[in-house]
Amino acid sequence: MRTPDMEAVQGDITKIEADAIVNAANSSLLGGGGVDGAIHRSGGPAILEECKAIRAKQGGCPTGEAVITTAGNLPAKHVIHTVGPVWNGGNKNEPELLASCYQNSLRLAEEHQLKSIAFPNISTGVYGYPKDKAAIVATDAVKNYFQKNPDSSIEQVKFVCFGNQDYSLYKGLLG
């Protein structure tokens, strides 16, 4: 079984060169704050226009699911938008929903034969998911995906951490 290179990097996800970066979107897909707002601002109007077309076709994006658009002006080729769960103490399927964000994003990347993907720290901003718990779910979900999909086309996975705390968590979990 070949597993992709997985690494933690510290920086701004809007500056990452990858086949896809993942957006921690809200269910409206129309932009918002945090990572979502930064991606929409940096990527320009093409991302919003494709998000509007997706909304017209299927409505918003449910928690745990993912959709793909162009990356507009970003150095990435695509943006995969996924909706993370709001933290409610961990008793409303938050870990399963968060794992689904990572796995559905990887599945979508696979369907588009992408080779590299970069994730932000989904749900750890205004959605309040504890950073340490989210990092464990994220790394486990990605590792589990590749155990179940050993012939994946994905060669590189980056966990892009904006702050020192997240970076230290991911470095520790990835070795």
Side-chain angles (χ1 to χ4, degrees):
M1 178 175 96
R2 184 198 59 76
T3 56
D5 292 330
M6 289 194 283
E7 66 175 323
V9 296
Q10 192 167 1
D12 178 347
I13 198 159
T14 66
K15 308 258 189 290
I16 298 293
E17 290 185 31
D19 288 340
I21 62 169
V22 176
N23 179 17
N26 62 53
S27 60
S28 76
L29 299 175
L30 299 179
V35 170
D36 194 15
I39 286 173
H40 276 271
R41 280 190 303 278
S42 297
I47 296 172
L48 181 59
E49 290 309 310
E50 283 193 42
C51 284
K52 285 179 180 177
I54 291 167
R55 278 180 54 91
K57 183 178 172 186
Q58 71 176 43
C61 185
T63 302
E65 296 299 319
V67 296
I68 191 168
T69 66
T70 182
N73 301 325
L74 297 167
K77 295 175 184 163
H78 301 277
V79 175
I80 295 174
H81 307 263
T82 190
V83 181
V86 174
W87 181 254
N88 285 300
N91 300 316
K92 300 200 180 201
N93 294 327
E94 294 98 313
E96 294 82 2
L97 289 167
L98 185 58
S100 290
C101 289
Y102 288 91
Q103 292 171 340
N104 284 325
S105 295
L106 290 165
R107 179 187 48 75
L108 208 48
E110 189 83 45
E111 287 173 6
H112 288 80
Q113 288 97 39
L114 305 182
K115 302 236 179 273
S116 59
I117 186 169
F119 289 100
N121 307 131
I122 299 168
S123 285
T124 61
V126 297
Y127 283 14
Y129 208 112
K131 292 174 182 284
D132 58 339
K133 289 177 175 34
I136 292 167
V137 170
T139 55
D140 285 351
V142 171
K143 289 173 186 173
N144 289 340
Y145 178 86
F146 291 110
Q147 285 175 348
K148 292 177 183 169
N149 299 280
D151 298 325
S152 173
S153 65
I154 300 168
E155 297 173 358
Q156 183 179 56
V157 176
K158 290 183 181 181
F159 295 96
V160 181
C161 306
F162 194 73
N164 289 331
Q165 180 187 14
D166 288 323
Y167 179 69
S168 294
L169 285 168
Y170 281 84
K171 281 297 270 186
L173 289 167
L174 294 172

